[in-house]
Amino acid sequence: MNKPKILNTIKIIGKSIFTLLTCVLIFAYSIALIEKIQRPTFKNLPTNEFIIIGIILLILIFINLKWVFGIIKTTPNEK
């Protein structure tokens, strides 16, 4: 294999791991948030910390949309 193919493979593996990690965190956060709404004393975690964790997950989603999927473009394509 040549160097560009190896680098491309490493990028794909990194992007897939990052996407999988974000999905797992969102799944765990949603379960914890549902429990927190149903039982406010759940895990003794204050509501403001849930908000901070939610903001961090929104940032991770934005990074996924920009870096992994390429949906959000910052510069227009030149033709």
Side-chain angles (χ1 to χ4, degrees), residues 6-19:
I6 293 172
L7 291 176
N8 198 17
T9 305
I10 291 172
K11 281 183 182 179
I12 291 171
I13 292 171
K15 288 178 180 182
S16 61
I17 289 172
F18 186 71
T19 304

Side-chain angles (χ1 to χ4, degrees), residues 13-65:
I13 292 171
K15 288 178 180 182
S16 61
I17 289 172
F18 186 71
T19 304
L20 182 66
L21 176 69
T22 304
C23 291
V24 168
L25 288 174
I26 289 171
F27 180 72
Y29 177 75
S30 63
I31 290 174
L33 188 61
I34 289 170
E35 287 294 320
K36 182 69 174 177
I37 291 171
Q38 290 176 352
R39 294 183 290 152
T41 59
F42 176 69
K43 296 278 186 184
N44 295 328
L45 191 61
T47 306
N48 60 352
E49 290 184 16
F50 267 100
I51 293 171
I52 292 170
I53 294 170
I55 291 171
I56 291 170
L57 284 175
L58 285 175
I59 292 169
L60 285 175
I61 291 170
F62 177 75
I63 292 171
N64 269 321
L65 290 176

